[in-house]
Short mmCIF file of all heavy atoms in Angstrom, two decimals:
data_model
loop_
_atom_site.label_atom_id
_atom_site.label_comp_id
_atom_site.label_asym_id
_atom_site.label_seq_id
_atom_site.Cartn_x
_atom_site.Cartn_y
_atom_site.Cartn_z
N ILE A 1 -3.94 0.74 17.44
CA ILE A 1 -3.52 -0.65 17.31
C ILE A 1 -3.81 -1.23 15.95
O ILE A 1 -4.73 -0.78 15.26
CB ILE A 1 -4.22 -1.53 18.46
CG1 ILE A 1 -5.71 -1.54 18.31
CG2 ILE A 1 -3.71 -1.11 19.80
CD1 ILE A 1 -6.39 -2.55 19.22
N GLU A 2 -3.05 -2.15 15.57
CA GLU A 2 -3.18 -2.96 14.35
C GLU A 2 -3.29 -2.10 13.04
O GLU A 2 -4.11 -2.40 12.15
CB GLU A 2 -4.40 -3.90 14.41
CG GLU A 2 -4.27 -4.93 15.52
CD GLU A 2 -5.43 -5.84 15.71
OE1 GLU A 2 -6.40 -5.79 14.91
OE2 GLU A 2 -5.41 -6.66 16.62
N CYS A 3 -2.49 -1.05 12.96
CA CYS A 3 -2.41 -0.23 11.75
C CYS A 3 -1.48 -0.88 10.77
O CYS A 3 -0.52 -1.60 11.16
CB CYS A 3 -1.97 1.16 12.09
SG CYS A 3 -3.19 2.08 13.01
N MET A 4 -1.64 -0.60 9.48
CA MET A 4 -0.80 -1.13 8.44
C MET A 4 -0.48 -0.09 7.37
O MET A 4 -1.42 0.59 6.92
CB MET A 4 -1.49 -2.41 7.84
CG MET A 4 -0.60 -3.09 6.84
SD MET A 4 -1.43 -4.54 6.07
CE MET A 4 -1.53 -5.58 7.48
N ILE A 5 0.72 -0.06 6.97
CA ILE A 5 1.14 0.77 5.78
C ILE A 5 1.74 -0.24 4.78
O ILE A 5 2.71 -0.91 5.09
CB ILE A 5 2.12 1.87 6.19
CG1 ILE A 5 1.53 2.82 7.19
CG2 ILE A 5 2.66 2.59 4.93
CD1 ILE A 5 2.51 3.82 7.76
N ILE A 6 1.19 -0.23 3.58
CA ILE A 6 1.62 -1.12 2.51
C ILE A 6 2.22 -0.29 1.43
O ILE A 6 1.58 0.70 0.97
CB ILE A 6 0.42 -1.93 1.97
CG1 ILE A 6 -0.21 -2.70 3.12
CG2 ILE A 6 0.82 -2.87 0.86
CD1 ILE A 6 -1.57 -3.32 2.72
N THR A 7 3.43 -0.65 0.94
CA THR A 7 4.08 0.14 -0.13
C THR A 7 4.29 -0.64 -1.39
O THR A 7 4.79 -0.08 -2.33
CB THR A 7 5.45 0.67 0.40
OG1 THR A 7 6.31 -0.40 0.65
CG2 THR A 7 5.31 1.53 1.67
N SER A 8 3.95 -1.89 -1.45
CA SER A 8 4.07 -2.71 -2.64
C SER A 8 2.88 -3.49 -2.91
O SER A 8 2.17 -3.97 -2.04
CB SER A 8 5.28 -3.66 -2.48
OG SER A 8 6.50 -2.98 -2.37
N ILE A 9 2.54 -3.67 -4.22
CA ILE A 9 1.43 -4.51 -4.67
C ILE A 9 1.90 -5.38 -5.81
O ILE A 9 2.94 -5.17 -6.42
CB ILE A 9 0.23 -3.64 -5.10
CG1 ILE A 9 0.61 -2.71 -6.29
CG2 ILE A 9 -0.36 -2.84 -4.01
CD1 ILE A 9 -0.54 -1.99 -6.96
N HIS A 10 1.13 -6.42 -6.08
CA HIS A 10 1.43 -7.29 -7.19
C HIS A 10 0.89 -6.64 -8.48
O HIS A 10 -0.04 -5.89 -8.50
CB HIS A 10 0.70 -8.62 -7.03
CG HIS A 10 1.21 -9.43 -5.87
ND1 HIS A 10 2.46 -10.06 -5.93
CD2 HIS A 10 0.71 -9.73 -4.64
CE1 HIS A 10 2.68 -10.71 -4.82
NE2 HIS A 10 1.65 -10.50 -3.97
N ASN A 11 1.53 -6.98 -9.61
CA ASN A 11 1.16 -6.55 -10.94
C ASN A 11 -0.04 -7.39 -11.45
O ASN A 11 0.17 -8.50 -11.86
CB ASN A 11 2.33 -6.59 -11.88
CG ASN A 11 1.97 -6.07 -13.26
OD1 ASN A 11 1.02 -5.36 -13.44
ND2 ASN A 11 2.80 -6.44 -14.24
N TYR A 12 -1.20 -6.89 -11.31
CA TYR A 12 -2.42 -7.61 -11.75
C TYR A 12 -2.94 -7.13 -13.09
O TYR A 12 -3.72 -7.81 -13.70
CB TYR A 12 -3.49 -7.50 -10.73
CG TYR A 12 -3.99 -6.03 -10.51
CD1 TYR A 12 -4.97 -5.52 -11.24
CD2 TYR A 12 -3.35 -5.26 -9.54
CE1 TYR A 12 -5.33 -4.16 -11.11
CE2 TYR A 12 -3.71 -3.92 -9.35
CZ TYR A 12 -4.73 -3.40 -10.15
OH TYR A 12 -5.10 -2.08 -9.98
N ASP A 13 -2.55 -5.96 -13.52
CA ASP A 13 -3.17 -5.32 -14.70
C ASP A 13 -2.43 -5.61 -16.06
O ASP A 13 -3.06 -5.85 -17.01
CB ASP A 13 -3.30 -3.84 -14.45
CG ASP A 13 -4.44 -3.22 -15.21
OD1 ASP A 13 -5.30 -3.91 -15.66
OD2 ASP A 13 -4.36 -2.02 -15.44
N LYS A 14 -1.13 -5.43 -16.04
CA LYS A 14 -0.38 -5.55 -17.30
C LYS A 14 0.56 -6.73 -17.27
O LYS A 14 1.51 -6.83 -18.09
CB LYS A 14 0.41 -4.25 -17.54
CG LYS A 14 -0.35 -2.99 -17.49
CD LYS A 14 -1.13 -2.77 -18.79
CE LYS A 14 -1.75 -1.42 -18.80
NZ LYS A 14 -2.89 -1.30 -19.66
N GLY A 15 0.39 -7.63 -16.31
CA GLY A 15 1.32 -8.72 -16.15
C GLY A 15 1.11 -9.88 -17.10
O GLY A 15 0.25 -9.83 -18.02
N ASN A 16 1.89 -10.91 -17.00
CA ASN A 16 1.85 -12.01 -17.91
C ASN A 16 1.21 -13.28 -17.29
O ASN A 16 1.35 -14.37 -17.78
CB ASN A 16 3.27 -12.36 -18.42
CG ASN A 16 4.20 -12.66 -17.28
OD1 ASN A 16 3.80 -12.95 -16.15
ND2 ASN A 16 5.52 -12.55 -17.57
N ALA A 17 0.48 -13.08 -16.18
CA ALA A 17 -0.25 -14.18 -15.49
C ALA A 17 -1.43 -13.56 -14.70
O ALA A 17 -1.40 -12.42 -14.44
CB ALA A 17 0.67 -14.99 -14.60
N ILE A 18 -2.39 -14.46 -14.43
CA ILE A 18 -3.49 -14.03 -13.57
C ILE A 18 -3.58 -14.93 -12.39
O ILE A 18 -3.19 -16.10 -12.49
CB ILE A 18 -4.86 -13.95 -14.38
CG1 ILE A 18 -5.10 -15.28 -15.09
CG2 ILE A 18 -4.93 -12.76 -15.26
CD1 ILE A 18 -6.45 -15.35 -15.82
N PRO A 19 -4.00 -14.53 -11.23
CA PRO A 19 -4.54 -13.23 -10.90
C PRO A 19 -3.47 -12.11 -10.91
O PRO A 19 -3.83 -10.90 -11.01
CB PRO A 19 -5.13 -13.36 -9.51
CG PRO A 19 -4.37 -14.48 -8.91
CD PRO A 19 -3.97 -15.37 -10.01
N TYR A 20 -2.22 -12.43 -10.80
CA TYR A 20 -1.11 -11.48 -10.90
C TYR A 20 0.13 -12.21 -11.26
O TYR A 20 0.24 -13.39 -11.16
CB TYR A 20 -0.99 -10.71 -9.55
CG TYR A 20 -0.76 -11.55 -8.38
CD1 TYR A 20 0.48 -12.03 -8.03
CD2 TYR A 20 -1.85 -11.84 -7.55
CE1 TYR A 20 0.70 -12.84 -6.91
CE2 TYR A 20 -1.68 -12.63 -6.43
CZ TYR A 20 -0.44 -13.16 -6.11
OH TYR A 20 -0.26 -13.94 -5.01
N ASP A 21 1.13 -11.47 -11.73
CA ASP A 21 2.43 -12.10 -12.04
C ASP A 21 3.49 -11.84 -10.92
O ASP A 21 3.13 -11.40 -9.84
CB ASP A 21 2.96 -11.68 -13.41
CG ASP A 21 3.35 -10.21 -13.49
OD1 ASP A 21 3.53 -9.54 -12.44
OD2 ASP A 21 3.59 -9.73 -14.66
N ASP A 22 4.75 -12.11 -11.20
CA ASP A 22 5.78 -11.98 -10.17
C ASP A 22 6.29 -10.58 -10.04
O ASP A 22 7.17 -10.41 -9.16
CB ASP A 22 6.97 -12.94 -10.56
CG ASP A 22 6.50 -14.42 -10.43
OD1 ASP A 22 5.65 -14.71 -9.60
OD2 ASP A 22 7.15 -15.24 -11.09
N THR A 23 5.82 -9.61 -10.78
CA THR A 23 6.27 -8.28 -10.73
C THR A 23 5.75 -7.60 -9.53
O THR A 23 4.55 -7.72 -9.18
CB THR A 23 5.85 -7.49 -12.01
OG1 THR A 23 6.25 -8.19 -13.13
CG2 THR A 23 6.43 -6.06 -11.99
N ILE A 24 6.59 -6.91 -8.76
CA ILE A 24 6.10 -6.08 -7.63
C ILE A 24 6.22 -4.63 -7.98
O ILE A 24 7.20 -4.14 -8.50
CB ILE A 24 7.08 -6.40 -6.39
CG1 ILE A 24 7.04 -7.82 -6.04
CG2 ILE A 24 6.70 -5.46 -5.20
CD1 ILE A 24 5.65 -8.39 -5.54
N ILE A 25 5.12 -3.89 -7.68
CA ILE A 25 5.09 -2.52 -7.98
C ILE A 25 5.14 -1.79 -6.57
O ILE A 25 4.26 -2.00 -5.74
CB ILE A 25 3.81 -2.11 -8.72
CG1 ILE A 25 3.75 -2.84 -10.05
CG2 ILE A 25 3.68 -0.57 -8.87
CD1 ILE A 25 2.38 -2.81 -10.76
N SER A 26 6.13 -0.96 -6.42
CA SER A 26 6.30 -0.24 -5.17
C SER A 26 6.10 1.21 -5.24
O SER A 26 6.57 1.85 -6.30
CB SER A 26 7.69 -0.54 -4.57
OG SER A 26 7.87 -1.89 -4.34
N LYS A 27 5.45 1.82 -4.33
CA LYS A 27 5.21 3.27 -4.28
C LYS A 27 5.44 3.76 -2.85
O LYS A 27 5.14 3.06 -1.90
CB LYS A 27 3.80 3.62 -4.71
CG LYS A 27 3.52 3.21 -6.14
CD LYS A 27 2.07 3.59 -6.53
CE LYS A 27 1.73 3.19 -7.99
NZ LYS A 27 0.35 3.48 -8.29
N ASP A 28 5.97 4.96 -2.74
CA ASP A 28 6.31 5.52 -1.43
C ASP A 28 4.99 5.99 -0.71
O ASP A 28 3.99 6.37 -1.34
CB ASP A 28 7.17 6.73 -1.53
CG ASP A 28 8.57 6.36 -2.18
OD1 ASP A 28 8.87 5.16 -2.15
OD2 ASP A 28 9.29 7.28 -2.61
N VAL A 29 5.06 6.04 0.62
CA VAL A 29 3.98 6.58 1.49
C VAL A 29 4.63 7.67 2.33
O VAL A 29 5.67 7.44 2.91
CB VAL A 29 3.38 5.49 2.36
CG1 VAL A 29 2.44 6.13 3.41
CG2 VAL A 29 2.59 4.47 1.51
N ILE A 30 4.01 8.81 2.32
CA ILE A 30 4.51 9.93 3.14
C ILE A 30 3.40 10.41 4.12
O ILE A 30 2.24 10.67 3.63
CB ILE A 30 4.93 11.16 2.22
CG1 ILE A 30 6.06 10.65 1.28
CG2 ILE A 30 5.33 12.29 3.10
CD1 ILE A 30 6.45 11.63 0.22
N ILE A 31 3.76 10.44 5.36
CA ILE A 31 2.85 10.93 6.39
C ILE A 31 3.49 12.11 7.04
O ILE A 31 4.62 12.01 7.60
CB ILE A 31 2.51 9.81 7.41
CG1 ILE A 31 1.86 8.60 6.66
CG2 ILE A 31 1.63 10.38 8.48
CD1 ILE A 31 1.60 7.42 7.56
N GLU A 32 2.86 13.27 6.90
CA GLU A 32 3.42 14.51 7.41
C GLU A 32 3.32 14.59 8.96
O GLU A 32 2.74 13.73 9.58
CB GLU A 32 2.83 15.67 6.69
CG GLU A 32 3.16 15.68 5.19
CD GLU A 32 2.53 16.75 4.33
OE1 GLU A 32 1.90 17.68 4.95
OE2 GLU A 32 2.77 16.80 3.14
N ASP A 33 3.70 15.74 9.53
CA ASP A 33 3.76 15.95 10.94
C ASP A 33 2.36 15.93 11.56
O ASP A 33 1.38 16.39 10.90
CB ASP A 33 4.38 17.32 11.28
CG ASP A 33 5.87 17.35 10.96
OD1 ASP A 33 6.51 16.33 10.71
OD2 ASP A 33 6.44 18.48 10.95
N ASN A 34 2.27 15.53 12.83
CA ASN A 34 1.09 15.63 13.60
C ASN A 34 -0.12 14.86 13.14
O ASN A 34 -1.27 15.33 13.29
CB ASN A 34 0.71 17.14 13.88
CG ASN A 34 1.88 17.97 14.28
OD1 ASN A 34 2.67 17.53 15.12
ND2 ASN A 34 2.11 19.11 13.66
N VAL A 35 0.13 13.72 12.59
CA VAL A 35 -0.95 12.86 12.04
C VAL A 35 -1.24 11.81 13.03
O VAL A 35 -0.37 11.26 13.75
CB VAL A 35 -0.52 12.19 10.72
CG1 VAL A 35 -1.50 11.16 10.26
CG2 VAL A 35 -0.37 13.27 9.62
N TRP A 36 -2.56 11.48 13.13
CA TRP A 36 -3.05 10.46 14.06
C TRP A 36 -3.85 9.46 13.23
O TRP A 36 -4.83 9.80 12.59
CB TRP A 36 -3.89 11.09 15.13
CG TRP A 36 -4.63 10.16 16.07
CD1 TRP A 36 -4.33 8.89 16.36
CD2 TRP A 36 -5.80 10.54 16.83
NE1 TRP A 36 -5.30 8.38 17.26
CE2 TRP A 36 -6.18 9.43 17.55
CE3 TRP A 36 -6.55 11.67 16.95
CZ2 TRP A 36 -7.25 9.38 18.42
CZ3 TRP A 36 -7.69 11.69 17.76
CH2 TRP A 36 -8.01 10.56 18.52
N LEU A 37 -3.48 8.19 13.29
CA LEU A 37 -4.22 7.07 12.69
C LEU A 37 -4.94 6.38 13.78
O LEU A 37 -4.30 5.89 14.75
CB LEU A 37 -3.32 6.09 11.94
CG LEU A 37 -2.40 6.62 10.88
CD1 LEU A 37 -1.62 5.42 10.22
CD2 LEU A 37 -3.14 7.37 9.77
N GLY A 38 -6.25 6.16 13.65
CA GLY A 38 -7.00 5.43 14.63
C GLY A 38 -6.72 3.91 14.50
O GLY A 38 -5.90 3.49 13.66
N ASN A 39 -7.37 3.11 15.34
CA ASN A 39 -7.12 1.67 15.31
C ASN A 39 -7.45 1.07 13.92
O ASN A 39 -8.39 1.47 13.27
CB ASN A 39 -8.04 0.96 16.30
CG ASN A 39 -7.64 1.29 17.72
OD1 ASN A 39 -6.56 1.77 18.01
ND2 ASN A 39 -8.51 0.95 18.66
N ARG A 40 -6.69 0.16 13.48
CA ARG A 40 -6.88 -0.70 12.31
C ARG A 40 -7.00 0.11 11.02
O ARG A 40 -7.80 -0.26 10.11
CB ARG A 40 -8.09 -1.61 12.49
CG ARG A 40 -7.88 -2.61 13.56
CD ARG A 40 -8.97 -3.59 13.69
NE ARG A 40 -8.55 -4.67 14.60
CZ ARG A 40 -9.42 -5.42 15.25
NH1 ARG A 40 -10.70 -5.27 15.09
NH2 ARG A 40 -8.96 -6.40 16.08
N VAL A 41 -6.21 1.14 10.92
CA VAL A 41 -6.14 1.90 9.70
C VAL A 41 -5.21 1.29 8.75
O VAL A 41 -4.12 0.83 9.17
CB VAL A 41 -5.79 3.42 9.95
CG1 VAL A 41 -5.47 4.14 8.64
CG2 VAL A 41 -6.92 4.14 10.66
N THR A 42 -5.54 1.21 7.44
CA THR A 42 -4.66 0.66 6.40
C THR A 42 -4.41 1.80 5.42
O THR A 42 -5.32 2.44 4.97
CB THR A 42 -5.31 -0.53 5.66
OG1 THR A 42 -5.58 -1.59 6.65
CG2 THR A 42 -4.39 -1.06 4.61
N VAL A 43 -3.12 2.02 5.18
CA VAL A 43 -2.68 3.04 4.15
C VAL A 43 -2.03 2.25 3.01
O VAL A 43 -1.14 1.50 3.18
CB VAL A 43 -1.68 3.97 4.78
CG1 VAL A 43 -1.23 5.03 3.80
CG2 VAL A 43 -2.22 4.70 6.04
N LEU A 44 -2.58 2.53 1.76
CA LEU A 44 -2.10 1.76 0.60
C LEU A 44 -0.97 2.55 -0.12
O LEU A 44 -0.78 3.72 0.20
CB LEU A 44 -3.29 1.58 -0.33
CG LEU A 44 -4.36 0.62 0.23
CD1 LEU A 44 -5.39 0.38 -0.80
CD2 LEU A 44 -3.82 -0.69 0.72
N PRO A 45 -0.27 1.86 -1.05
CA PRO A 45 0.91 2.49 -1.72
C PRO A 45 0.59 3.78 -2.40
O PRO A 45 -0.49 3.93 -2.98
CB PRO A 45 1.31 1.41 -2.75
CG PRO A 45 0.77 0.19 -2.22
CD PRO A 45 -0.51 0.53 -1.49
N GLY A 46 1.59 4.68 -2.35
CA GLY A 46 1.47 5.97 -3.08
C GLY A 46 0.75 7.04 -2.44
O GLY A 46 0.48 8.12 -3.02
N VAL A 47 0.34 6.88 -1.15
CA VAL A 47 -0.52 7.87 -0.48
C VAL A 47 0.40 8.89 0.28
O VAL A 47 1.39 8.54 0.81
CB VAL A 47 -1.47 7.14 0.47
CG1 VAL A 47 -2.13 8.08 1.45
CG2 VAL A 47 -2.52 6.34 -0.32
N ARG A 48 -0.14 10.14 0.29
CA ARG A 48 0.44 11.13 1.15
C ARG A 48 -0.66 11.63 2.11
O ARG A 48 -1.81 11.98 1.63
CB ARG A 48 0.92 12.34 0.34
CG ARG A 48 1.44 13.51 1.20
CD ARG A 48 1.83 14.73 0.44
NE ARG A 48 3.00 14.54 -0.30
CZ ARG A 48 4.21 14.92 0.16
NH1 ARG A 48 4.34 15.38 1.36
NH2 ARG A 48 5.30 14.66 -0.57
#
């Protein structure tokens, strides 16, 4: 229950404003066969 996969983050490092600018950085998430995520697992962008 309550798992989350996030594929986009705000540009906080090289942007033109703080804490972040309007740029969105997106990265793919790949989860292969036979994977089990327990309750409240969060997977961040770019993870396999």
Side-chain angles (χ1 to χ4, degrees):
I1 60 170
E2 297 180 5
C3 290
M4 184 180 294
I5 298 173
I6 303 168
T7 63
S8 296
I9 59 172
H10 293 287
N11 183 18
Y12 62 87
D13 204 22
K14 305 282 187 204
N16 56 18
I18 50 176
Y20 54 83
D21 68 13
D22 292 333
T23 307
I24 301 295
I25 301 167
S26 297
K27 297 180 181 178
D28 298 342
V29 170
I30 298 171
I31 299 176
E32 296 179 4
D33 293 346
N34 310 316
V35 170
W36 173 23
L37 303 183
N39 292 346
R40 295 187 173 154
V41 169
T42 301
V43 179
L44 296 183
V47 167
R48 175 185 288 268

